[in-house]
């Protein structure tokens, strides 16, 4: 699966609302084990100062089918973030752990939710809900909303599955 996304973040108690694009992908390596990767490029302009935020995530996960239409999953990922402004760049790396579920409510509509713990310099927990509408078995459009301690994250995506 590969997905192209528009991503917008709202940072609490600031005027920062960086937005940009993301590219993500995942592939099953066995019936239950999958590999995943994610790359996001966000930016914002505050008082004429350009702020850029790039993130990379790569990991492995396990999915368990509880029914023909519902999966539970867990994953662990390496995380990298780079923020830059005024020619100064700060980067750090860490890890994340996630658990969640997703279910096909109809033949065309999927609903999912997850909880993830991310530790990059500081730790944070994010709760995410997402929905996807499948135009065909392989092509879907989706939206998601994630809420963390200091930020909200909105995503609109187009996804293509190769199976």
């Amino acid at each position: 699966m590969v997905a192209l996304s528009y991503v917008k973040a709202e940072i609490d108690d600031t005027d920062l609302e960086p937005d940009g694009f993301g590219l993500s992908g995942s592939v099953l390596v066995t019936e239950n084990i999958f590999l995943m990767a994610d790359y996001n490029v966000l930016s914002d302009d505050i008082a004429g100062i350009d702020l850029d935020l790039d993130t990379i995530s790569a990991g492995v996960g396990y999915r368990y089918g509880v029914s023909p239409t519902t999966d539970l999953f867990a994953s662990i990922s390496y995380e990298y973030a780079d923020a830059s402004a005024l020619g100064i760049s700060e980067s750090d790396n860490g890890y994340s752990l996630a658990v969640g579920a997703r279910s096909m409510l109809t033949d065309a509509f999927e609903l999912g939710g997850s909880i993830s713990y991310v530790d990059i310099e500081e730790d944070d927990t994010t709760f995410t809900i997402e929905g996807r509408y499948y135009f065909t078995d392989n092509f879907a459009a989706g939206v998601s909303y994630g809420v963390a301690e200091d930020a909200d994250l909105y995503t609109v995506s187009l996804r293509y599955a190769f199976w």
Side-chain angles (χ1 to χ4, degrees):
M1 173 286 299
V2 65
L4 180 62
S5 305
Y6 168 75
V7 181
K8 180 173 181 148
E10 292 180 356
I11 312 300
D12 294 349
D13 302 323
T14 73
D15 291 331
L16 292 174
E17 293 186 0
D19 65 345
F21 294 94
L23 181 63
S24 61
S26 67
V27 62
L28 281 170
V29 292
T30 71
E31 185 177 329
N32 298 95
I33 297 173
F34 60 92
L35 300 176
M36 61 191 180
D38 200 28
Y39 177 62
N40 292 298
V41 178
L42 306 179
S43 64
D44 198 0
D45 187 281
I46 301 294
I49 298 171
D50 186 38
L51 171 67
D52 296 317
L53 176 62
D54 299 343
T55 61
I56 297 171
S57 175
V60 62
Y62 184 85
R63 71 176 186 126
Y64 175 74
V66 295
S67 78
T69 59
T70 302
D71 285 348
L72 301 177
F73 62 88
S75 64
I76 185 168
S77 301
Y78 166 80
E79 303 289 332
Y80 173 83
D82 180 75
S84 61
L86 298 171
I88 300 169
S89 180
E90 288 287 326
S91 63
D92 207 347
N93 61 65
Y95 69 95
S96 70
L97 304 169
V99 295
R102 64 175 181 239
S103 185
M104 294 298 296
L105 299 181
T106 70
D107 288 341
F109 184 69
E110 180 181 51
L111 185 64
S114 63
I115 301 170
S116 59
Y117 170 82
V118 180
D119 191 341
I120 304 177
E121 191 171 313
E122 295 181 14
D123 61 340
D124 202 356
T125 301
T126 303
F127 299 91
T128 303
I129 187 164
E130 61 185 347
R132 249 181 234 103
Y133 181 81
Y134 286 84
F135 300 100
T136 69
D137 288 344
N138 301 84
F139 183 67
V143 296
S144 71
Y145 171 68
V147 60
E149 184 177 332
D150 296 324
D152 295 341
L153 188 67
Y154 305 90
T155 305
V156 177
S157 63
L158 293 175
R159 171 183 172 151
Y160 185 80
F162 294 97
W163 51 84

